[in-house]
């Protein structure tokens, strides 16, 4: 079954009633991908983030340790990571139990080792928050624990558990080399709750920050400014990921700024002392 047929089934409303198994290659390695009542079809309907694999190859050629995935969703980053290094220790966090359940199935089908998945949303404290959904998809990748992050267009919501990474991970146990953050507006809260871990391990941080669009969007601007301030204070270089289909380009910037360019959403926060590893790709 190809992506065109999947698109047709999705358009006529049939895909959500179907479950089957497909196979797909990521960076030359083939994986089993379950489609459960339509869940998981986005692995075929959306473009792969090939820039992620390119960055992982550079980092993992130099070092090894633990990968922390904050915002697992349906395992998009997990698949890229396992295609580059199937043996790396992986901890994945997501407040949406539906996503964690799907990824458990994904891991079992592919016999992924050294992989832990936790139904917890990372934030700056232990608590209960409301996860808002902006579509009928129960694995909605745009779901956010930030109140009114996308205005008043909430379709549904549910209560979820949140916690700080510093309260979960023992920093002395094993080196944390990469933290990926994709949390729809709560990036500064995740970083605040992981401050001790970040300062102790100095990991590479791959982070999505959606555009502020307009100066009136004070919530997004405040979140963004807190992230930039933290990175500057702790000697992290901010690189905007400008990835083409076959190339990786990293733009060194001081400020993320106010913009409306959706392609300027992904950033690599690079410990200044490790900048030399990425010099060939920095402009």
């Amino acid at each position: 079954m190809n992506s065109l047929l999947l698109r047709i089934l999705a358009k006529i409303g049939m895909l959500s009633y179907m479950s089957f198994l497909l196979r797909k290659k990521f960076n030359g390695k083939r994986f089993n991908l379950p489609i459960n009542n339509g869940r998981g079809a986005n692995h075929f309907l959306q473009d792969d983030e090939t820039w992620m694999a390119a960055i992982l190859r550079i980092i993992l050629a130099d070092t090894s340790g633990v990968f922390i995935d904050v915002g697992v969703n349906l395992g998009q980053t997990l698949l890229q990571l396992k295609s580059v290094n199937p043996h790396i220790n992986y901890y994945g966090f997501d407040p949406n139990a539906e996503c964690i359940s799907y990824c458990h199935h994904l891991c079992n089908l592919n016999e992924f080792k050294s992989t832990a998945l936790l139904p917890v949303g990372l934030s700056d404290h232990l608590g209960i928050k409301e996860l808002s959904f902006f579509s009928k998809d129960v694995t909605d990748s745009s779901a956010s624990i930030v109140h009114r992050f996308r205005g008043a267009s909430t379709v549904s919501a549910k209560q979820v558990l949140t916690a700080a990474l510093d309260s979960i991970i023992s920093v002395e146990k094993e080196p944390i080399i990469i933290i990926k953050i994709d949390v729809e507006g709560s990036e500064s809260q995740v970083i605040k709750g992981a401050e001790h871990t970040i300062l102790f391990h100095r990991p590479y941080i791959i982070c999505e920050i959606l555009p502020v669009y307009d100066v009136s969007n004070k919530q997004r601007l405040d979140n963004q400014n807190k992230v930039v301030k933290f990175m500057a204070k702790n000697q992290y270089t901010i690189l905007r990921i400008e990835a083409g289909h076959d190339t990786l380009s990293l733009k060194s910037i001081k400020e993320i700024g106010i913009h409306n360019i959706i392609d300027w959403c992904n950033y690599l926060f690079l410990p200044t002392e490790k900048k030399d590893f990425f010099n060939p790709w920095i402009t």
Side-chain angles (χ1 to χ4, degrees):
M1 185 180 294
N2 59 31
S3 59
L4 177 60
L5 181 53
L6 286 176
R7 291 180 190 279
I8 293 172
L9 290 172
K11 189 170 184 177
I12 64 176
M14 291 298 296
L15 192 56
S16 60
Y17 299 100
M18 303 176 70
S19 296
F20 43 87
L21 182 68
L22 295 177
R23 289 174 63 82
K24 181 179 177 179
K25 280 186 177 181
F26 289 82
N27 307 302
K29 294 187 178 181
R30 193 177 296 275
F31 296 104
N32 298 311
L33 301 182
I35 311 295
N36 297 333
N37 296 323
R39 299 169 202 171
N42 281 346
H43 288 306
F44 297 88
L45 301 179
Q46 296 178 351
D47 292 337
D48 296 330
E49 294 180 333
T50 54
W51 57 264
M52 177 68 77
I55 289 175
L56 294 177
R57 286 194 191 96
I58 298 168
I59 296 174
L60 297 178
D62 168 62
T63 188
S64 62
V66 175
F67 186 104
I68 303 289
D69 191 358
V70 188
V72 173
N73 195 241
L74 296 178
Q76 295 91 331
T77 298
L78 173 61
L79 287 164
Q80 295 288 346
L81 178 69
K82 292 297 183 179
S83 74
V84 173
N85 185 335
H87 307 295
I88 190 170
N89 289 334
Y90 170 96
Y91 294 90
F93 296 87
D94 200 292
N96 190 343
E98 297 284 353
C99 293
I100 294 297
S101 176
Y102 174 89
C103 288
H104 273 302
H105 190 193
L106 178 69
C107 289
N108 290 335
L109 285 173
N110 292 283
E111 298 182 345
F112 288 158
K113 307 299 182 184
S114 305
T115 302
L117 295 158
L118 297 100
V120 178
L122 291 190
S123 186
D124 55 1
H125 67 280
L126 179 66
I128 302 294
K129 290 192 176 183
E130 188 172 85
L131 179 67
S132 297
F133 293 81
F134 302 96
S135 77
K136 293 181 179 179
D137 182 359
V138 295
T139 62
D140 180 12
S141 62
S142 67
S144 176
I145 63 172
V146 178
H147 181 60
R148 299 178 66 88
F149 179 63
R150 296 179 183 272
S153 58
T154 302
V155 173
S156 62
K158 64 180 179 181
Q159 302 297 306
V160 297
L161 176 67
T162 65
L165 181 64
D166 286 344
S167 68
I168 299 173
I169 298 293
S170 173
V171 293
E172 292 82 7
K173 187 176 181 181
E174 49 193 337
I176 295 171
I177 55 171
I178 306 171
I179 298 177
K180 186 224 81 177
I181 304 171
D182 184 352
V183 290
E184 305 297 310
S186 61
E187 297 81 22
S188 63
Q189 297 172 37
V190 171
I191 289 169
K192 181 180 178 181
E195 182 173 4
H196 183 48
T197 301
I198 292 170
L199 297 184
F200 186 89
H201 288 285
R202 305 284 293 164
Y204 300 89
I205 302 173
I206 303 169
C207 185
E208 180 190 75
I209 299 179
L210 295 174
V212 172
Y213 291 111
D214 187 273
V215 68
S216 64
N217 196 332
K218 297 185 183 303
Q219 184 183 63
R220 290 197 185 194
L221 185 59
D222 180 61
N223 169 68
Q224 177 178 287
N225 287 342
K226 286 179 179 177
V227 173
V228 171
K229 183 178 180 179
F230 178 92
M231 297 305 158
K233 177 183 176 182
N234 294 291
Q235 289 78 54
Y236 269 78
T237 299
I238 302 176
L239 303 177
R240 187 172 64 228
I241 300 168
E242 299 179 342
H245 290 292
D246 302 311
T247 60
L248 173 66
S249 177
L250 302 169
K251 178 74 172 179
S252 181
I253 59 176
K254 296 293 185 183
E255 298 287 340
I256 293 174
I258 297 172
H259 65 85
N260 61 357
I261 303 173
I262 199 67
D263 288 339
W264 289 2
C265 287
N266 295 300
Y267 299 87
L268 174 62
F269 301 135
L270 183 65
T272 302
E273 68 272 16
K274 300 176 182 177
K275 189 175 179 180
D276 288 348
F277 292 111
F278 279 89
N279 272 341
W281 294 273
I282 298 176
T283 60

